[in-house]
Amino acid sequence: MKALEIHNLEKTYANGPHALRRIDLEVEEGDFFALLGPNGAGKSTTIGIICSLVNKSAGAVEVFGNDLDLAPERVKSCIGYVPQEFNFNPFEPVAEIVINQAGYYGIPRTEAKRRAEGCLKQLELWGKREEQARDLSGGMKRRLMIARALVHHPRLLILDEPTAGVDIEIRRSMWDFLHQINASGTTVILTTHYLEEAESLCRNIAIINDGEIAERAAMHEMLRRLHQQDLVLDLREPVDEAPVVDGYPISRTGPCTLEVLVPPGHDLNPLFDGLSAQGIQVLSMRNKQNRLEQLFLNMVKNHREHSA
Amino acid sequence: MNYWVAFQTLVIKEILRFSRIWVQTVLPPAITTALYFVIFGTLIGSRLGEMDGYRYIDFIVPGLILMAVITNSYANAVSSFYQAKFQRNVEEMLIAPIPHWVILAGYVCGGVARGVVVGVLVTIVSMFFSDLSIHSYGITLAVFVLTSVLFALAGFINAVYANSFDDISIVPTFVLTPLTYLGGVFYSIDLLPPFWQEASLFNPVLYMVNAFRYGLLGVSDIPISTAFHIILGFIVALFAFALYLLKKGIGIKS
């Protein structure tokens, strides 16, 4: 079953700009889906329309087979939404925010309290339940929004840049948590500017640019399309100039650092053999740029050139 | 979907909101009204003699109680919904499967709750200054509740259109206060020249104040049935308009 189906979705804001131009998108039930794009590409508008926060200009949205125009309440019941910016009342106690949200979904207060306790414990906020939300740290506020989005047990969880501005430790723990949520059967749609986050979490991906879907594919398929890899090698001993290895353009970026462009389909063994033959020992190796990031930049650039 | 639970949640949230800040929301009207009673009722009023056959202080009690109800019902709805817009926690409701009429009813009941709490408090204060008697419990209660419903609706509409904190104070300052003061709170319109008597009839607050005064004292400048028709007419019109605004997403959706 499709968790989300979008057909010919259009949005034109009152002040003129076309935010979305006839978008088509499908997300399978159980998927972990990334919606990527540069700032202003139309990601948040798309999500806003799905979540009934933005009025669409044209097109259709279906969530688990329920049409947004015909059965908006059924659509809303299926969705949990974690927005980009904090949107809770900062003066309300943490537990009350989650309990009230459950109430808006028709969950009676006793059950709402039980669920809120579960969600807050899961996200390690139970100890803060009586504090006002404004007193939480940035990472805690993000987790509070996730707890609030999960309290009614949504089948589709939409996260709009959920880890923006949180430290790496919290981000990793949120990744683990989102993995668990997805493994339990919840479909997850994620927008993020951290492309390693999308690469690590998501199975399918769509790239949106200038209000159009520039690309839609499985993550592994997308990464396979990467034309070349840009590797950085850290050396044991300094070198005076860049060594030459046939088929591998190498540049020297520091006394002990080389940068190698590995063409698609090339193994790394000949590269290391060539370096060893010249007495160069490699201590460590890493991608210069996140692979998805490189691909993303290429696609956005190509799409812009094509549109122009 | 259990709409009753959603409605209850909204009302409880609203009541907790103004209760938490009772020093800002509930206490000031009681103090202000006590000052009105001392100055206009006791000090100045004792020199004015009777109005419509009642001591001046007894005559202004209904108007002062209703003025507090009007101001607070309006203030609660306008400030609460505007804050929800400003802090974007209105999105909590918009993404949830709550029909618009439930959202509206929740905010209106929050406004009514504050209007009633403040109204009761002001009534208690008035008992220290005046021999309060109730001519008709039914009319008194009906006007009390319907007026707060009407002004909570008006406050909600103001909040929908408001884009800044200035916008939520402009209407109370430049529209609501003049209408209330000129709505017969402190005087009978019989005292006005004929032209201003006619002009006063276009002020909806006049009908509410007089209907409430009738409920308490048994005197009114206008027929009670006219007052009820006007109050109910305004409620229906404002409710329909507020629902339309919510449905279109005006002021809350892009």
Side-chain angles (χ1 to χ4, degrees):
Chain A
M1 190 183 195
K2 299 272 188 296
L4 175 69
E5 285 180 84
I6 290 176
H7 298 295
N8 293 326
L9 190 64
E10 280 188 47
K11 175 65 187 176
T12 308
Y13 284 103
N15 51 358
H18 287 281
L20 297 177
R21 301 160 198 266
R22 300 174 74 84
I23 277 188
D24 289 309
L25 192 65
E26 290 182 354
V27 178
E28 291 292 334
E29 184 174 7
D31 199 359
F32 206 131
F33 190 91
L35 185 61
L36 307 180
N39 285 334
K43 304 183 298 286
S44 295
T45 301
T46 308
I47 286 174
I49 291 171
I50 299 166
C51 295
S52 305
L53 295 174
V54 175
N55 290 325
K56 62 185 167 63
S57 304
V61 176
E62 279 186 25
V63 176
F64 292 103
N66 301 302
D67 189 290
L68 185 61
D69 294 326
L70 302 175
E73 287 172 23
R74 275 196 221 156
V75 168
K76 289 175 176 184
S77 300
C78 297
I79 298 175
Y81 171 55
V82 180
Q84 205 177 103
E85 288 168 31
F86 303 130
N87 71 341
F88 43 73
N89 183 344
F91 302 103
E92 277 182 0
V94 167
E96 215 168 288
I97 289 171
V98 183
I99 292 167
N100 284 345
Q101 191 67 25
Y104 298 152
Y105 284 82
I107 299 163
R109 206 154 180 88
T110 320
E111 172 64 8
K113 283 181 181 170
R114 197 186 61 75
R115 287 196 192 191
E117 183 179 340
C119 289
L120 291 173
K121 280 181 175 167
Q122 219 175 353
L123 284 145
E124 295 170 24
L125 286 170
W126 183 240
K128 303 279 181 186
R129 64 189 177 279
E130 283 168 10
E131 286 187 22
Q132 287 189 343
R134 65 177 172 164
D135 295 331
L136 299 181
S137 67
M140 286 176 179
K141 285 174 181 167
R142 293 253 164 233
R143 282 184 278 150
L144 170 59
M145 294 206 294
I146 295 177
R148 186 184 60 178
L150 290 173
V151 74
H152 64 287
H153 299 164
R155 295 169 72 190
L156 171 62
L157 180 64
I158 300 176
L159 303 116
D160 197 358
E161 298 186 31
T163 56
V166 301
D167 68 42
I168 188 68
E169 193 187 351
I170 293 172
R171 195 185 307 164
R172 296 280 170 172
S173 75
M174 279 165 81
W175 290 7
D176 290 341
F177 182 74
L178 293 175
H179 258 309
Q180 287 171 31
I181 293 290
N182 180 241
S184 69
T186 308
T187 310
V188 182
I189 297 177
L190 172 83
T191 81
T192 179
H193 283 296
Y194 301 112
L195 298 185
E196 79 275 17
E197 181 167 282
E199 189 178 339
S200 155
L201 290 170
C202 302
R203 287 189 287 280
N204 289 293
I205 181 174
I207 294 178
I208 186 167
N209 191 33
D210 288 336
E212 292 174 330
I213 300 287
E215 193 61 59
R216 160 83 172 89
M219 183 69 77
H220 62 88
E221 198 182 297
M222 190 85 93
L223 291 173
R224 209 183 297 146
R225 288 188 219 164
L226 201 61
H227 296 306
Q228 59 188 20
Q229 283 197 74
D230 201 350
L231 300 179
V232 177
L233 307 181
D234 296 315
L235 311 179
R236 184 177 291 280
E237 304 287 343
V239 290
D240 294 330
E241 55 186 35
V244 177
V245 178
D246 277 351
Y248 297 90
I250 302 175
S251 57
R252 179 180 172 275
T253 53
C256 290
T257 315
L258 299 177
E259 217 176 287
V260 187
L261 288 176
V262 182
H266 277 51
D267 296 338
L268 295 179
N269 293 17
L271 169 69
F272 288 112
D273 290 345
L275 292 174
S276 298
Q278 295 175 53
I280 296 171
Q281 285 182 291
V282 179
L283 277 180
S284 62
M285 176 185 79
R286 63 182 188 276
N287 276 94
K288 186 184 177 190
Q289 204 173 19
N290 172 270
R291 294 181 301 164
L292 185 60
E293 199 168 292
Q294 206 169 332
L295 193 66
F296 172 79
L297 290 172
N298 291 343
M299 280 181 176
V300 169
K301 191 178 163 202
N302 290 342
H303 186 257
R304 277 194 186 137
E305 283 170 2
H306 183 72
S307 302
Chain B
M1 169 70 191
N2 192 336
Y3 297 150
W4 174 245
V5 172
F7 171 73
Q8 250 182 336
T9 305
L10 264 166
V11 175
I12 291 171
K13 187 184 77 130
E14 281 302 292
I15 292 173
L16 285 176
R17 193 194 69 85
F18 76 74
S19 304
R20 268 197 286 264
I21 47 170
W22 64 274
V23 178
Q24 294 171 43
T25 53
V26 178
L27 195 58
I31 292 171
T32 311
T33 316
L35 289 171
Y36 275 123
F37 284 129
V38 171
I39 296 163
F40 293 107
T42 311
L43 299 178
I44 298 172
S46 59
R47 294 164 187 244
L48 291 177
E50 290 190 343
M51 195 163 292
D52 278 355
Y54 286 88
R55 286 193 305 151
Y56 185 67
I57 191 165
D58 294 334
F59 180 83
I60 64 169
V61 163
L64 287 176
I65 294 172
L66 207 64
M67 191 164 82
V69 171
I70 288 171
T71 314
N72 282 277
S73 306
Y74 190 95
N76 199 73
V78 72
S79 60
S80 181
F81 195 71
Y82 179 69
Q83 271 177 24
K85 271 175 57 174
F86 183 74
Q87 292 161 348
R88 298 183 63 178
N89 56 297
V90 68
E91 291 178 359
E92 292 175 340
M93 286 167 272
L94 297 179
I95 62 163
I98 320 175
H100 296 130
W101 64 266
V102 174
I103 295 176
L104 183 56
Y107 274 93
V108 168
C109 280
V112 170
R114 180 164 150 193
V116 167
V117 167
V118 170
V120 168
L121 199 63
V122 169
T123 306
I124 293 168
V125 170
S126 72
M127 286 171 168
F128 290 100
F129 299 92
S130 149
D131 303 322
L132 194 68
S133 61
I134 297 177
H135 173 73
S136 164
Y137 282 94
I139 291 176
T140 304
L141 199 65
V143 178
F144 197 83
V145 173
L146 290 175
T147 303
S148 55
V149 168
L150 196 160
F151 282 94
L153 281 166
F156 184 89
I157 292 167
N158 184 174
V160 167
Y161 280 108
N163 287 317
S164 67
F165 281 97
D166 286 344
D167 293 344
I168 65 170
S169 62
I170 284 172
V171 176
T173 307
F174 296 105
V175 181
L176 206 57
T177 306
L179 282 180
T180 311
Y181 276 74
L182 299 172
V185 171
F186 297 102
Y187 56 85
S188 164
I189 58 165
D190 290 343
L191 298 179
L192 300 173
F195 173 79
W196 289 110
Q197 279 190 32
E198 291 292 320
S200 294
L201 295 177
F202 289 98
N203 180 357
V205 177
L206 176 84
Y207 297 88
M208 295 160 213
V209 169
N210 273 280
F212 195 62
R213 185 171 287 137
Y214 181 84
L216 288 177
L217 306 179
V219 291
S220 171
D221 293 336
I222 43 99
I224 296 306
S225 64
T226 311
F228 272 102
H229 278 105
I230 285 174
I231 295 170
L232 288 170
F234 267 104
I235 287 175
V236 170
L238 293 180
F239 190 84
F241 186 55
L243 265 188
Y244 167 80
L245 294 176
L246 278 177
K247 189 167 184 283
K248 289 283 174 194
I250 292 167
I252 49 175
K253 285 189 189 181
S254 32

mmCIF file of all heavy atoms in Angstrom, chain A residues 56-82:
data_model
loop_
_atom_site.group_PDB
_atom_site.id
_atom_site.type_symbol
_atom_site.label_atom_id
_atom_site.label_comp_id
_atom_site.label_asym_id
_atom_site.label_seq_id
_atom_site.Cartn_x
_atom_site.Cartn_y
_atom_site.Cartn_z
ATOM 1 N N LYS A 56 -3.239 24.047 -0.850
ATOM 2 C CA LYS A 56 -2.668 23.768 -2.181
ATOM 3 C C LYS A 56 -3.432 24.567 -3.239
ATOM 4 O O LYS A 56 -4.600 24.916 -3.027
ATOM 5 C CB LYS A 56 -2.712 22.274 -2.488
ATOM 6 C CG LYS A 56 -4.089 21.647 -2.544
ATOM 7 C CD LYS A 56 -3.953 20.149 -2.731
ATOM 8 C CE LYS A 56 -5.242 19.421 -2.483
ATOM 9 N NZ LYS A 56 -6.326 19.751 -3.400
ATOM 10 N N SER A 57 -2.761 24.821 -4.367
ATOM 11 C CA SER A 57 -3.433 25.527 -5.465
ATOM 12 C C SER A 57 -4.116 24.544 -6.399
ATOM 13 O O SER A 57 -5.154 24.845 -6.975
ATOM 14 C CB SER A 57 -2.420 26.360 -6.263
ATOM 15 O OG SER A 57 -1.748 27.233 -5.402
ATOM 16 N N ALA A 58 -3.492 23.368 -6.574
ATOM 17 C CA ALA A 58 -4.092 22.332 -7.432
ATOM 18 C C ALA A 58 -3.439 21.000 -7.103
ATOM 19 O O ALA A 58 -2.416 20.944 -6.426
ATOM 20 C CB ALA A 58 -3.863 22.671 -8.897
ATOM 21 N N GLY A 59 -4.064 19.924 -7.595
ATOM 22 C CA GLY A 59 -3.485 18.597 -7.404
ATOM 23 C C GLY A 59 -4.181 17.809 -6.312
ATOM 24 O O GLY A 59 -5.157 18.284 -5.718
ATOM 25 N N ALA A 60 -3.676 16.598 -6.096
ATOM 26 C CA ALA A 60 -4.313 15.706 -5.121
ATOM 27 C C ALA A 60 -3.270 15.083 -4.201
ATOM 28 O O ALA A 60 -2.141 14.814 -4.613
ATOM 29 C CB ALA A 60 -5.065 14.608 -5.854
ATOM 30 N N VAL A 61 -3.678 14.882 -2.950
ATOM 31 C CA VAL A 61 -2.821 14.227 -1.956
ATOM 32 C C VAL A 61 -3.625 13.102 -1.322
ATOM 33 O O VAL A 61 -4.756 13.316 -0.881
ATOM 34 C CB VAL A 61 -2.370 15.227 -0.853
ATOM 35 C CG1 VAL A 61 -1.569 14.512 0.227
ATOM 36 C CG2 VAL A 61 -1.569 16.366 -1.439
ATOM 37 N N GLU A 62 -3.038 11.923 -1.293
ATOM 38 C CA GLU A 62 -3.683 10.795 -0.606
ATOM 39 C C GLU A 62 -2.713 10.214 0.403
ATOM 40 O O GLU A 62 -1.541 10.014 0.103
ATOM 41 C CB GLU A 62 -4.063 9.694 -1.611
ATOM 42 C CG GLU A 62 -5.343 9.987 -2.345
ATOM 43 C CD GLU A 62 -5.786 8.817 -3.231
ATOM 44 O OE1 GLU A 62 -5.416 7.662 -2.937
ATOM 45 O OE2 GLU A 62 -6.489 9.083 -4.206
ATOM 46 N N VAL A 63 -3.224 9.941 1.595
ATOM 47 C CA VAL A 63 -2.409 9.314 2.640
ATOM 48 C C VAL A 63 -3.095 8.010 3.030
ATOM 49 O O VAL A 63 -4.254 8.026 3.461
ATOM 50 C CB VAL A 63 -2.258 10.257 3.854
ATOM 51 C CG1 VAL A 63 -1.494 9.569 4.975
ATOM 52 C CG2 VAL A 63 -1.541 11.536 3.452
ATOM 53 N N PHE A 64 -2.401 6.906 2.827
ATOM 54 C CA PHE A 64 -2.964 5.562 3.051
ATOM 55 C C PHE A 64 -4.345 5.434 2.388
ATOM 56 O O PHE A 64 -5.295 4.944 2.991
ATOM 57 C CB PHE A 64 -3.042 5.239 4.545
ATOM 58 C CG PHE A 64 -1.689 5.074 5.163
ATOM 59 C CD1 PHE A 64 -1.139 6.088 5.944
ATOM 60 C CD2 PHE A 64 -0.938 3.929 4.958
ATOM 61 C CE1 PHE A 64 0.128 5.952 6.506
ATOM 62 C CE2 PHE A 64 0.331 3.784 5.511
ATOM 63 C CZ PHE A 64 0.867 4.797 6.298
ATOM 64 N N GLY A 65 -4.443 5.934 1.174
ATOM 65 C CA GLY A 65 -5.664 5.797 0.390
ATOM 66 C C GLY A 65 -6.751 6.809 0.714
ATOM 67 O O GLY A 65 -7.814 6.796 0.091
ATOM 68 N N ASN A 66 -6.505 7.685 1.677
ATOM 69 C CA ASN A 66 -7.507 8.701 2.044
ATOM 70 C C ASN A 66 -7.178 10.028 1.361
ATOM 71 O O ASN A 66 -6.052 10.532 1.499
ATOM 72 C CB ASN A 66 -7.527 8.922 3.558
ATOM 73 C CG ASN A 66 -7.852 7.648 4.306
ATOM 74 O OD1 ASN A 66 -8.891 7.037 4.104
ATOM 75 N ND2 ASN A 66 -6.925 7.214 5.158
ATOM 76 N N ASP A 67 -8.165 10.557 0.643
ATOM 77 C CA ASP A 67 -7.959 11.808 -0.075
ATOM 78 C C ASP A 67 -8.024 12.998 0.893
ATOM 79 O O ASP A 67 -8.949 13.090 1.709
ATOM 80 C CB ASP A 67 -9.052 11.945 -1.150
ATOM 81 C CG ASP A 67 -8.764 13.099 -2.075
ATOM 82 O OD1 ASP A 67 -8.872 14.271 -1.642
ATOM 83 O OD2 ASP A 67 -8.437 12.832 -3.233
ATOM 84 N N LEU A 68 -7.052 13.880 0.767
ATOM 85 C CA LEU A 68 -6.980 15.032 1.675
ATOM 86 C C LEU A 68 -8.199 15.949 1.543
ATOM 87 O O LEU A 68 -8.644 16.544 2.528
ATOM 88 C CB LEU A 68 -5.697 15.823 1.411
ATOM 89 C CG LEU A 68 -5.385 16.995 2.323
ATOM 90 C CD1 LEU A 68 -5.229 16.569 3.768
ATOM 91 C CD2 LEU A 68 -4.121 17.716 1.884
ATOM 92 N N ASP A 69 -8.759 16.050 0.331
ATOM 93 C CA ASP A 69 -9.926 16.915 0.133
ATOM 94 C C ASP A 69 -11.211 16.263 0.632
ATOM 95 O O ASP A 69 -12.080 16.934 1.182
ATOM 96 C CB ASP A 69 -10.096 17.261 -1.353
ATOM 97 C CG ASP A 69 -8.949 18.109 -1.854
ATOM 98 O OD1 ASP A 69 -8.443 18.914 -1.061
ATOM 99 O OD2 ASP A 69 -8.543 17.946 -3.019
ATOM 100 N N LEU A 70 -11.310 14.938 0.437
ATOM 101 C CA LEU A 70 -12.560 14.253 0.770
ATOM 102 C C LEU A 70 -12.611 13.777 2.220
ATOM 103 O O LEU A 70 -13.679 13.729 2.829
ATOM 104 C CB LEU A 70 -12.777 13.057 -0.171
ATOM 105 C CG LEU A 70 -12.808 13.389 -1.669
ATOM 106 C CD1 LEU A 70 -12.902 12.128 -2.494
ATOM 107 C CD2 LEU A 70 -13.980 14.322 -1.973
ATOM 108 N N ALA A 71 -11.463 13.376 2.740
ATOM 109 C CA ALA A 71 -11.442 12.843 4.112
ATOM 110 C C ALA A 71 -10.274 13.426 4.894
ATOM 111 O O ALA A 71 -9.358 12.712 5.305
ATOM 112 C CB ALA A 71 -11.345 11.316 4.066
ATOM 113 N N PRO A 72 -10.292 14.758 5.091
ATOM 114 C CA PRO A 72 -9.137 15.393 5.743
ATOM 115 C C PRO A 72 -8.867 14.859 7.151
ATOM 116 O O PRO A 72 -7.709 14.743 7.564
ATOM 117 C CB PRO A 72 -9.518 16.875 5.776
ATOM 118 C CG PRO A 72 -10.986 16.925 5.597
ATOM 119 C CD PRO A 72 -11.344 15.735 4.774
ATOM 120 N N GLU A 73 -9.942 14.518 7.870
ATOM 121 C CA GLU A 73 -9.727 14.059 9.253
ATOM 122 C C GLU A 73 -9.047 12.694 9.282
ATOM 123 O O GLU A 73 -8.218 12.430 10.151
ATOM 124 C CB GLU A 73 -11.054 14.029 10.005
ATOM 125 C CG GLU A 73 -11.519 15.444 10.325
ATOM 126 C CD GLU A 73 -12.910 15.504 10.884
ATOM 127 O OE1 GLU A 73 -13.382 14.493 11.424
ATOM 128 O OE2 GLU A 73 -13.542 16.564 10.750
ATOM 129 N N ARG A 74 -9.382 11.831 8.327
ATOM 130 C CA ARG A 74 -8.725 10.517 8.277
ATOM 131 C C ARG A 74 -7.253 10.682 7.918
ATOM 132 O O ARG A 74 -6.396 9.996 8.448
ATOM 133 C CB ARG A 74 -9.414 9.619 7.245
ATOM 134 C CG ARG A 74 -10.604 8.911 7.827
ATOM 135 C CD ARG A 74 -11.003 7.764 6.924
ATOM 136 N NE ARG A 74 -12.437 7.713 6.838
ATOM 137 C CZ ARG A 74 -13.115 7.173 5.857
ATOM 138 N NH1 ARG A 74 -12.476 6.656 4.825
ATOM 139 N NH2 ARG A 74 -14.414 7.137 5.877
ATOM 140 N N VAL A 75 -6.993 11.591 6.980
ATOM 141 C CA VAL A 75 -5.595 11.852 6.602
ATOM 142 C C VAL A 75 -4.816 12.351 7.821
ATOM 143 O O VAL A 75 -3.735 11.854 8.131
ATOM 144 C CB VAL A 75 -5.531 12.890 5.456
ATOM 145 C CG1 VAL A 75 -4.109 13.386 5.242
ATOM 146 C CG2 VAL A 75 -6.075 12.291 4.167
ATOM 147 N N LYS A 76 -5.404 13.320 8.523
ATOM 148 C CA LYS A 76 -4.712 13.908 9.674
ATOM 149 C C LYS A 76 -4.459 12.867 10.762
ATOM 150 O O LYS A 76 -3.432 12.922 11.449
ATOM 151 C CB LYS A 76 -5.540 15.064 10.237
ATOM 152 C CG LYS A 76 -5.557 16.295 9.347
ATOM 153 C CD LYS A 76 -6.491 17.337 9.926
ATOM 154 C CE LYS A 76 -6.491 18.624 9.150
ATOM 155 N NZ LYS A 76 -7.333 19.646 9.781
ATOM 156 N N SER A 77 -5.395 11.935 10.935
ATOM 157 C CA SER A 77 -5.235 10.910 11.977
ATOM 158 C C SER A 77 -4.019 10.027 11.712
ATOM 159 O O SER A 77 -3.441 9.474 12.645
ATOM 160 C CB SER A 77 -6.459 9.998 12.039
ATOM 161 O OG SER A 77 -7.595 10.752 12.318
ATOM 162 N N CYS A 78 -3.652 9.894 10.434
ATOM 163 C CA CYS A 78 -2.541 9.003 10.066
ATOM 164 C C CYS A 78 -1.172 9.660 10.243
ATOM 165 O O CYS A 78 -0.153 8.981 10.214
ATOM 166 C CB CYS A 78 -2.651 8.587 8.601
ATOM 167 S SG CYS A 78 -4.115 7.645 8.221
ATOM 168 N N ILE A 79 -1.157 10.999 10.344
ATOM 169 C CA ILE A 79 0.125 11.723 10.245
ATOM 170 C C ILE A 79 0.616 12.248 11.597
ATOM 171 O O ILE A 79 -0.146 12.801 12.374
ATOM 172 C CB ILE A 79 -0.019 12.921 9.265
ATOM 173 C CG1 ILE A 79 -0.358 12.411 7.868
ATOM 174 C CG2 ILE A 79 1.260 13.743 9.228
ATOM 175 C CD1 ILE A 79 -0.638 13.521 6.862
ATOM 176 N N GLY A 80 1.901 12.070 11.832
ATOM 177 C CA GLY A 80 2.585 12.753 12.937
ATOM 178 C C GLY A 80 3.588 13.697 12.305
ATOM 179 O O GLY A 80 4.274 13.326 11.347
ATOM 180 N N TYR A 81 3.666 14.921 12.803
ATOM 181 C CA TYR A 81 4.492 15.933 12.134
ATOM 182 C C TYR A 81 5.462 16.588 13.111
ATOM 183 O O TYR A 81 5.059 17.072 14.172
ATOM 184 C CB TYR A 81 3.552 16.976 11.515
ATOM 185 C CG TYR A 81 4.226 18.205 10.969
ATOM 186 C CD1 TYR A 81 5.244 18.103 10.028
ATOM 187 C CD2 TYR A 81 3.842 19.481 11.381
ATOM 188 C CE1 TYR A 81 5.861 19.226 9.527
ATOM 189 C CE2 TYR A 81 4.445 20.612 10.882
ATOM 190 C CZ TYR A 81 5.453 20.485 9.944
ATOM 191 O OH TYR A 81 6.062 21.606 9.452
ATOM 192 N N VAL A 82 6.726 16.582 12.730
ATOM 193 C CA VAL A 82 7.747 17.281 13.522
ATOM 194 C C VAL A 82 8.263 18.436 12.670
ATOM 195 O O VAL A 82 8.970 18.213 11.684
ATOM 196 C CB VAL A 82 8.913 16.330 13.878
ATOM 197 C CG1 VAL A 82 9.955 17.063 14.705
ATOM 198 C CG2 VAL A 82 8.411 15.112 14.621
#
